[in-house]
Amino acid sequence: MQYMSTRGDTKTVSFADACLAGLAPDGGLYTPVEYPKLAPASGKESYTDIATRVLSAFAGDSISEADVQTLVAKAYASFAHQSVTPLSEIGPDQWLLELHHGPTLAFKDVAMQIIAQFYDHLLAERGQRLTVLCATSGDTGGAAAAAFAGLESVDVFILHPHERISPIQRRFMTSTGASNVHNFALDGDFDESQAIVKALFADQTFRQDVRLSGVNSINWTRIAAQSVYFATAQAALGSERKLRFVVPTGNFGDALAAYVAARCGLLNGLEIVSAVNANRTMVDLMETGKLSKRAAHATHSPAMDIALPSNAERLLFEVMQRDTDQLRNFYNQFAQSGAAELSDQARGALGCVGVKAVSIDDGETEAEMKRLYQETGTLQCPHTAVGTAAARATRDASADSVDVILSTAHAAKFPETVEAITGHTPALPERSESWLARDEVFERLPSDLNAVREAIRERVS
Ligand SMILES: *Cc1c(COP(=O)(O)O)cnc(C)c1O
């Protein structure tokens, strides 16, 4: 299995290289040269069986199937539910796909746990070390800290804006007790942390000296790992049923993973609703064929406060029939002028691909969280509520499909918001309580590029 960049660099790379690099050198995103053809999951296969089969197909010659199986087993041993991503019924023909049973209570764990295992395996084989760097506004940092804690071959540096994330989000990153996980609390906001990370990736000397690598959702491994739970949902609800997946969306990683599952033959058809909050870039792109630059708005669902969904690039690559020149020109145009428009052909193809987008604002999210509490007795996280509200807003009563709404985080990860809206405080699952008693370790730094660069240099082993 070989991978190519969406932006036309002609060199193809192995899964191992695509996985460890994250972003392609020409600034594009790695995508398989050809999608593997896979048999749909059967009800007899366990989550780890299906993950092994799917991830082995994507890993190709880079990792043997036996090794994938061992790594998958390790990755998902930390999940609190034996099905890893169980379904729960919330109404007639309406199911939640619960993605929050991992160690840090958000769906980022599903992919991050296996990425960490793949990194450790591939780096041990090569006798190399890498430095993983990420900025977080909450969920990615915790998932990365939990997944990479204690691994031999990776140092992880996580930048978070000091006192601007919730205490439980901070604890998940700062109390792993692992000496290879380094937390910097920067005196600035998330955008400043993100800008420092980008500047460090652009600094070629530094990048090579510390062997920098990225694990955000531009990394193909995340998409591959997330395609698995769409396949397991299809198997659990019956291979002959039509499913409509409603996906709370920020960077469009999860929604793209559903598309990938369908392309590989793991789903019975494809119908996706990409549910965004007031950050409506995906809706405008689908409705007008134009991508426009905007500022991100802060909402009740902070993990989805994204103005430019990075994984939309992979979908546009497909609707442009993999014409890398067209895609590169589109993004160059966007970078230069802040707007770019699809060709008529691409716009037509985007309309038929099976993806819709719908925006749910904070008022609708609040009403949905209250309604869910009253009608089902459950407290849901604001991201999940954007999904269930979008499902209700777009449901066609005569449709013969079943709705599967992704529950992307546990309500207890956003206790302040859930409490303010519903008047009830979600209980932290028992398995997470021990985090509250652990010591936190983080260093405060000024929000300054040189200070962060020097601090990383000093600590890389
Ligand atoms: C990251 C995240 C999302 C958005 O997922 P994308 O793959 O970026 O679209 C939604 N909900 C929660 C809780 C998240 O952490």
Side-chain angles (χ1 to χ4, degrees), residues 300 360-370 382 385-386 389 421:
H300 289 322
I360 298 295
D361 67 21
D362 271 355
E364 293 167 306
T365 307
E366 289 171 20
E368 181 69 5
M369 288 169 71
K370 288 182 193 151
V386 167
I421 294 171

Side-chain angles (χ1 to χ4, degrees), residues 182-436:
H182 309 270
N183 287 284
F184 297 149
L186 302 193
D187 290 320
D189 62 17
F190 170 68
D191 290 315
E192 290 174 46
S193 306
Q194 175 104 310
I196 289 175
V197 166
K198 284 200 179 137
L200 291 173
F201 271 93
D203 175 346
Q204 294 306 328
T205 313
F206 177 76
R207 189 172 172 162
Q208 279 162 24
D209 286 353
V210 304
R211 296 177 162 279
L212 217 52
S213 174
V215 292
N216 49 10
S217 67
I218 47 129
N219 193 310
W220 177 260
T221 316
R222 270 185 65 170
I223 306 296
Q226 289 167 209
S227 71
V228 172
Y229 44 71
F230 295 95
T232 61
Q234 179 79 67
L237 293 170
S239 58
E240 72 296 344
R241 293 183 90 173
K242 293 261 181 230
L243 306 185
R244 189 176 78 133
F245 287 104
V246 185
V247 186
T249 297
N251 262 325
F252 201 72
D254 239 348
L256 188 91
Y259 170 84
V260 169
R263 280 293 298 264
C264 297
L266 294 165
L267 303 182
N268 180 12
L270 178 65
E271 202 182 347
I272 302 170
V273 178
S274 165
V276 297
N277 58 27
N279 294 281
R280 325 179 15 106
T281 309
M282 279 316 292
V283 177
D284 295 344
L285 177 66
M286 306 295 296
E287 280 176 3
T288 66
K290 280 197 201 109
L291 185 67
S292 308
K293 197 177 206 127
R294 304 207 155 73
H297 304 288
T299 71
H300 289 322
S301 43
M304 293 158 43
D305 291 346
I306 290 172
L308 181 63
S310 49
N311 272 292
E313 176 162 346
R314 288 190 167 112
L315 185 67
L316 295 180
F317 176 64
E318 301 298 342
V319 302
M320 289 177 188
Q321 299 172 309
R322 300 197 152 210
D323 178 348
T324 53
D325 290 339
Q326 195 186 139
L327 189 82
R328 191 178 54 248
N329 291 339
F330 180 87
Y331 276 100
N332 284 347
Q333 171 79 39
F334 177 78
Q336 280 157 20
S337 69
E341 190 162 3
L342 295 176
S343 69
D344 289 345
Q345 173 277 321
R347 201 178 159 190
L350 186 62
C352 320
V353 80
V355 183
K356 270 194 211 134
V358 53
S359 165
I360 298 295
D361 67 21
D362 271 355
E364 293 167 306
T365 307
E366 289 171 20
E368 181 69 5
M369 288 169 71
K370 288 182 193 151
R371 190 192 66 83
L372 284 165
Y373 184 68
Q374 276 153 15
E375 291 180 14
T376 68
T378 60
L379 294 171
Q380 298 295 343
C381 95
H383 308 76
T384 303
V386 167
T388 59
R392 287 183 337 106
T394 56
R395 176 104 189 131
D396 169 0
S398 64
D400 59 356
S401 59
V402 173
D403 275 355
V404 178
I405 300 129
L406 275 60
S407 175
T408 51
H410 194 288
K413 199 142 188 201
F414 301 92
E416 299 82 4
T417 309
V418 174
E419 207 320 314
I421 294 171
T422 65
H424 298 273
T425 309
L428 199 63
E430 221 169 281
R431 68 193 158 97
S432 305
E433 277 169 10
S434 67
W435 287 90
L436 302 180

Side-chain angles (χ1 to χ4, degrees), residues 121-153:
H121 174 86
L122 293 167
L123 291 170
E125 231 171 41
R126 295 178 176 198
Q128 286 179 357
R129 288 188 69 84
L130 275 183
T131 300
V132 164
L133 173 62
C134 68
T136 186
S137 60
D139 292 335
T140 302
F148 284 96
L151 295 185
E152 288 287 320
S153 49

